[in-house]
Amino acid sequence: MAIDSTRTAAIADDQATEHLIDLMLNVMSDGLDHPELWILLPPLVTENPLIPAALYARLANEPRSQVRVMMKLLFGFSLIATDGPSAALETLMPFSALHSMNIQVQGTIFYLEGLLDPKNPKFQLAGKVCLKPFIELDVLDGSTHLCCASWLPISAGNLSLNDWQDIWNGDVAQAVRASMTDGSYRFCNKRTCPTIQTSQFLTINELEIDPRWGEIMKTRETVMPRGPELLNLAYDRTCNLSCPSCRTTRYAADDTTRARLDVLQEEKILPLLDNAKTVFVTGSGDPFASKNFRRLMEQLNAEKYPDLKFIIMTNGMLLTPKQWAAFPSLHNRVESLRISWTQRPDRHTSGFGGARAGQ
């Protein structure tokens, strides 16, 4: 009877362990960062020391790559309970290089780094708010983002298929904004985002007394009463160069693509810019090489858009005095001119299959 009782208890422990693992994997299945899980996992492992071994055993037979990634994160993080955060970080850090754009992997490592450097302000996100998702919309070809897609990869929707209001205040956009005010930043790649890495935030307390943001922050409102102030247009990859840091071959949109982007600009982008303060053209190619962006810049004249300012990013090859004169809509309205540069100045004008300065 004692042996049967022991075996029954062992089976029950195994079942409880597997159930806990399934629950954690279910939480992680959305691919987002879950700092609340990392708070709970060490005491769970302390109470149930079978978890690491069970994870290790399941890993050997798990064919799904995404689930394997989640299991490796759980297994590595569970080492905190027995060996401390340094051992957990050492186990997972090589994993980071393989998944540099995976916000769940990077968030887990960010949390461990914070445990080892608790006085560093960049790891103290609670009570701090990034305002980018409250004021910015980045438009790519087929997706939109409330920040740079490299740092906040989840798309809020396809502007070609949806009204901008449904994207700007849709479920995804509201969830992203909520993650700023609750301090989880679960949609962000925390180890690559420059705002997080440099801790360039205002606190909720500061924003609550700000005339503009006070009511929004006090109520934790996620529906914005007006459209984005900054529109980052990155939907046309057309460029006159093929710099290795960006692409391996030259790209120019074909007639079909240009026609489709013309519709996007006329029906969605121009209405969005009615109330915007700044338009960023472009992080995807070169604005002076793109027929779509050239047409748009011509349309955004000071008479119709008197308060609109431009941020222009270009490699500079096509920004000649003659070209500048062809765009009076930009004159005295460029807030920032950003020149993309390669490793060596001599390679900027040759070797990349593009135009030289003055052409």
Side-chain angles (χ1 to χ4, degrees), residues 70-98:
M70 295 188 293
M71 285 183 173
K72 288 179 180 178
L73 290 177
L74 290 171
F75 175 77
F77 200 92
S78 69
L79 296 177
I80 288 182
T82 54
D83 303 314
S86 293
L89 184 60
E90 184 178 352
T91 299
L92 291 178
M93 189 58 79
F95 199 45
S96 170
L98 298 173

Side-chain angles (χ1 to χ4, degrees), residues 27 48 63 66 94 100 175 250 287 304 320 352:
V27 169
N48 193 331
Q66 181 182 356
S100 61
R250 289 182 65 188
K304 189 171 183 181
T320 63
F352 288 163

